[in-house]
């Protein structure tokens, strides 16, 4: 990965073919979902095959929802992952302990209770902002309030913007928020867990164009 480059995370990978294609097309991170209720759930043993086969230019992130730290460690070991993304009720203390072993991405759903300064309670973690959904954890396809995401930027050491992104709106999101990374799932799928390579190619091209535009306009 190039230093200071806007990073791209493609989430909801369910097979090796899609994982390889995402990396070859320019993804920096791929998301592997270990939430059993998700239509994009992947078994840890299959995840390990992906982790062992993708190029070193990218890395895998394991997605977890409301499970214990011990369960996270167990699944991460089985899958061979070194980065975890946490959705749900994870305390700063739990995240701090896990951050000694993993790169931790603390995910927030930006519902009515979310405040930008909430991210500041997790200084050992990167922060991902997703749109709120009452039942789903990621991959909702819902867009979010970009102004609230921008307000979170000062409280996050590394901000990943998610929530309904696609090739048509990602440039606007980047211009509005200036995140460190963008995360896409349903916006590059033909069905849940089935990646559309053309949509991925268009999304990544849109991100790079937006990145160049932002750089050109910076003093």
């Amino acid at each position: 990965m190039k230093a200071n480059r806007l990073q791209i995370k493609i989430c909801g990978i369910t097979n090796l073919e899609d994982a390889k294609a995402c990396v070859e097309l320019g993804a920096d991170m791929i998301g592997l979902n270990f939430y059993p209720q998700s239509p994009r759930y992947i078994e840890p043993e299959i995840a390990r095959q992906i982790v062992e086969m993708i190029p070193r230019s990218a890395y895998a992130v394991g997605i977890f929802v409301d499970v214990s730290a011990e369960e996270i460690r167990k699944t991460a070991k089985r899958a061979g992952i070194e980065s975890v993304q946490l959705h749900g009720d994870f305390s700063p203390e739990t995240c701090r302990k896990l951050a000694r072993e993993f790169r931790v991405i603390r995910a927030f759903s930006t519902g009515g209770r979310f405040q930008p300064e909430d991210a500041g309670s997790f200084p050992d973690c990167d922060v991902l902002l997703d749109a709120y959904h009452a039942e789903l954890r990621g991959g909702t396809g819902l867009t979010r309030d970009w102004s609230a995401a921008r307000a979170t930027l000062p409280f996050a050491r590394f901000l990943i913007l998610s929530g309904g992104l696609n090739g048509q709106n990602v440039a606007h999101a980047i211009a509005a928020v200036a995140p460190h990374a963008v995360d896409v799932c349903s916006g590059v799928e033909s069905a849940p867990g089935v990646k559309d390579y053309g949509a991925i190619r268009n999304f990544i091209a849109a991100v790079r164009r937006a990145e160049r535009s932002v750089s050109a306009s910076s003093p």
Side-chain angles (χ1 to χ4, degrees):
M1 286 180 280
K2 297 180 180 178
N4 300 320
R5 188 180 74 165
L6 181 65
Q7 294 184 23
I8 297 171
K9 177 171 173 283
I10 299 179
C11 208
I13 301 299
T14 58
N15 59 76
L16 179 58
E17 182 180 6
D18 284 358
K20 285 184 174 180
C22 287
V23 177
E24 289 170 1
L25 289 170
D28 301 291
M29 299 175 266
I30 60 168
L32 305 173
N33 198 321
F34 298 121
Y35 181 46
Q37 284 84 346
S38 172
R40 303 172 183 89
Y41 172 76
I42 186 169
E43 293 285 350
E45 289 73 20
I46 297 176
R48 175 174 280 277
Q49 295 174 18
I50 292 173
V51 171
E52 292 176 346
M53 293 299 294
I54 60 173
R56 293 185 179 275
S57 59
Y59 62 94
V61 179
I63 288 81
F64 297 89
V65 180
D66 285 330
V67 294
S68 68
E70 186 55 38
E71 183 66 23
I72 291 169
R73 293 186 183 98
K74 179 181 177 181
T75 301
K77 183 177 181 180
R78 289 170 63 195
I81 59 171
E82 299 177 351
S83 181
V84 298
Q85 180 174 312
L86 309 180
H87 293 251
D89 188 19
F90 287 94
S91 69
E93 177 63 20
T94 296
C95 291
R96 188 179 306 115
K97 290 179 179 179
L98 286 170
R100 298 170 187 163
E101 306 170 58
F102 306 98
R103 176 190 179 184
V104 176
I105 301 171
R106 179 63 165 92
F108 291 92
S109 294
T110 54
R113 296 173 57 187
F114 173 77
Q115 298 295 326
E117 55 267 26
D118 292 347
S121 298
F122 297 85
D124 304 294
C125 305
D126 298 340
V127 171
L128 180 141
L129 295 183
D130 199 0
Y132 173 76
H133 189 284
E135 297 176 0
L136 298 179
R137 298 294 183 270
T140 67
L142 301 175
T143 55
R144 57 171 324 285
D145 180 359
W146 304 133
S147 62
R150 179 75 184 202
T152 306
L153 199 58
F155 300 99
R157 70 176 189 183
F158 188 91
L159 182 67
I160 304 172
L161 185 65
S162 186
L165 294 179
N166 55 50
Q168 288 69 52
N169 66 15
V170 69
H172 172 66
I174 291 170
V177 180
H180 302 100
V182 290
D183 177 291
V184 65
C185 186
S186 61
V188 292
E189 289 181 331
S190 57
V194 181
K195 299 308 181 193
D196 180 325
Y197 298 169
I200 292 171
R201 188 178 292 107
N202 291 340
F203 180 85
I204 291 175
V207 170
R208 296 301 167 217
R209 285 195 301 269
E211 184 180 30
R212 290 192 294 271
S213 178
V214 170
S215 297
S217 63
S218 299

